[in-house]
Amino acid sequence: KRSDGPFVAVNSGSMPPDLLESNLFGHVKGAFTGAIANKKGLFEVANGGTIFFDEIGNIPLETQAKLLRMIQEREFMRLGGMETIKVDVRIVAATNCDLKQMVEDGRFREDLYYRLAVIRVSVPPLRERGSDIPLLVGHFAQSFGPQLKITPEDMAKLVRHSWPGNVRELRNVMERA
């Protein structure tokens, strides 16, 4: 059922906690100043599908507790609401942080970590995957301008670069070219 449903992405680290919770769980009219109407949250929108958390390690601890409850119970309440809303969503999360270290430092809930770590996929940085660079360069060249010609010297420079910004940095370089 979920594989055919909606896909919703959340950049977890780009908004204040109250706004993040309103975006995730929705709110009812009058829940806070400016809440002039009921609003569905992203979990409700993603019901039957997938919600992707980019930078899950940036979610504040108080929001982590609410996220954990949603994952465990498959239900939540909108901010200011009394009605329980049940959902069936697949959660995919990404981070460039060491979540295990964050758990040890008390910055990420251990129970949430284990709820999310059902299937882990570790992707090494681009600097450790030099053989991927020509493939990615070819892909981005096709996307941004098939007329772009990469010489063997250009490719050698691209492969030698350390790519601290990973694939996003390579993509930006190719777009500029």
Side-chain angles (χ1 to χ4, degrees):
K1 173 183 169 189
R2 287 180 288 184
S3 63
D4 295 334
F7 177 84
V8 176
V10 180
N11 186 335
S12 311
S14 66
M15 58 187 83
D18 292 343
L19 183 56
L20 177 61
E21 287 183 27
S22 176
N23 279 322
L24 291 176
F25 305 113
H27 60 260
V28 298
K29 180 179 177 180
F32 51 84
T33 304
I36 58 173
N38 289 352
K39 177 187 168 230
K40 285 184 178 182
L42 295 176
F43 275 110
E44 202 169 347
V45 171
N47 191 24
T50 302
I51 189 165
F52 171 68
F53 284 88
D54 192 15
E55 298 305 337
I56 190 84
N58 293 338
I59 291 183
L61 282 168
E62 60 271 13
T63 306
Q64 290 178 31
K66 294 176 182 178
L67 178 58
L68 177 66
R69 179 180 182 272
M70 206 302 303
I71 293 170
Q72 289 178 176
E73 306 298 327
R74 296 183 179 264
E75 64 185 28
F76 62 92
M77 285 188 275
R78 290 182 182 145
L79 288 160
M82 299 299 290
E83 176 188 350
T84 299
I85 299 167
K86 293 195 170 290
V87 292
D88 179 20
V89 296
R90 174 186 300 111
I91 296 175
V92 177
T95 185
N96 63 2
C97 302
D98 181 347
L99 289 182
K100 195 72 168 151
Q101 184 62 51
M102 289 180 71
V103 167
E104 290 174 20
D105 296 343
R107 295 181 293 133
F108 199 84
R109 292 180 60 108
E110 184 175 30
D111 45 4
L112 179 57
Y113 172 80
Y114 285 111
R115 281 286 181 185
L116 293 171
V118 175
I119 299 173
R120 293 188 57 209
V121 177
S122 225
V123 179
L126 189 54
R127 69 181 164 274
E128 294 177 14
R129 299 180 289 131
S131 62
D132 288 355
I133 292 172
L135 297 170
L136 290 166
V137 165
H139 169 74
F140 293 137
Q142 273 303 94
S143 299
F144 297 124
Q147 73 281 1
L148 181 63
K149 301 296 180 214
I150 307 294
T151 67
E153 295 80 22
D154 292 336
M155 187 62 75
K157 287 178 186 175
L158 292 170
V159 170
R160 280 194 310 268
H161 185 67
S162 66
W163 301 108
N166 279 309
V167 175
R168 287 183 184 134
E169 180 184 4
L170 176 60
R171 181 188 184 282
N172 291 343
V173 165
M174 294 303 298
E175 186 172 11
R176 278 193 303 271

